[in-house]
């Protein structure tokens, strides 16, 4: 059964309802004539320090799911809207030490650590390091399927969270936690069809357990 989705914020979805399908999306300088700045305080930004990363966690997280929808003819459009379950965040929390590094720099360093950006690249992970990054749009778009069955739509992100230690200059090390997400996507599942290779905590399995009938094949790991 072919599935065609258009105008999704993350990506288009093409799937066969023999299981589940998902896709991924996914200081200014001194002013002329201004007085020289005072000696930097302990909270001044210190560049060129060294990061140490701990408890780096990457996992797919279900962000939205729709109620199951029975489709009885080919080419029918799905009409049930996604309900948001989780809003991913981009943030840096400083736990200890003077704030000698900017949040964006921490997130850029984390992007390098997990392999989504190069150390000298200031553009690849722009969204990953943007603390004002909006969550994926779960509304709008049209999904049609070329088949019949009881279908559930869902959305997810790959969330990244890590603890860090930043040592720079003679100041005390800074510690904290950084979080963002790498990609977002959406998928479809059919309640009467088992999800091949499904593991506990995966978005598709969680969506099936939330929206399909209890004991449905898709809801069984």
């Amino acid at each position: 059964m072919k599935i065609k989705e258009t105008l999704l914020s993350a990506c288009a979805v093409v799937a066969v309802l023999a299981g589940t399908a998902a896709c991924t999306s996914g200081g200014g300088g001194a002013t002329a004539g201004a007085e020289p700045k005072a000696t930097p305080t302990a909270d001044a930004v210190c560049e060129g320090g060294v990061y140490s990363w701990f408890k780096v966690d990457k996992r797919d997280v279900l962000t939205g799911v729709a109620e199951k929808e029975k489709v009885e003819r080919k080419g029918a459009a799905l009409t049930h809207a996604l309900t948001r379950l989780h809003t991913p965040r981009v943030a840096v929390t400083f736990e200890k030490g003077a704030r000698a590094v900017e949040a964006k720099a921490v997130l850029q360093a984390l992007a390098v650590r997990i392999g989504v950006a190069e150390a000298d690249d200031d553009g690849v992970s722009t969204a990953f390091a943007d603390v004002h990054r909006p969550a994926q749009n779960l509304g709008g778009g049209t999904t049609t399927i070329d088949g019949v069955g009881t279908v559930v739509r869902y959305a997810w992100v790959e969330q990244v969270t890590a603890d860090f230690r930043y040592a720079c200059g003679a100041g005390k090390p800074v510690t904290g936690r950084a979080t963002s997400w790498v990609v977002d996507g959406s998928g479809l599942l059919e309640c009467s069809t088992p999800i091949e290779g499904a593991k506990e905590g995966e978005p598709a399995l969680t969506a099936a357990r939330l929206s399909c009938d209890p004991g449905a094949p898709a809801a069984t790991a």
Side-chain angles (χ1 to χ4, degrees), residues 40-61:
T41 66
D43 291 329
V45 171
C46 182
E47 298 180 351
V50 177
Y51 289 93
S52 299
W53 295 98
F54 312 91
K55 300 179 182 178
V56 179
D57 181 69
K58 292 175 65 177
R59 65 181 64 192
D60 292 342
V61 179

Side-chain angles (χ1 to χ4, degrees), residues 194-215:
I195 301 172
E196 184 176 354
K199 297 180 180 179
E200 292 294 333
E202 290 186 354
L205 182 60
T206 304
R209 288 176 173 173
L210 288 172
S211 294
C212 295
D213 292 332

Side-chain angles (χ1 to χ4, degrees), residues 57-62 156-161 180-181 201 203:
D57 181 69
K58 292 175 65 177
R59 65 181 64 192
D60 292 342
V61 179
L62 184 67
W156 56 276
V157 298
E158 184 179 32
Q159 188 85 46
V160 181
T161 302
S180 185
W181 74 92

Side-chain angles (χ1 to χ4, degrees), residues 134-151:
Q136 64 191 142
N137 179 12
L138 300 184
T142 301
T143 303
T144 59
I145 65 173
D146 186 18
V148 296
T150 301
V151 181

Side-chain angles (χ1 to χ4, degrees), residues 68 150 152 189-192 207-220:
K68 66 179 183 294
T150 301
V152 173
L189 61 90
E190 206 284 316
C191 291
S192 66
R209 288 176 173 173
L210 288 172
S211 294
C212 295
D213 292 332
T220 304

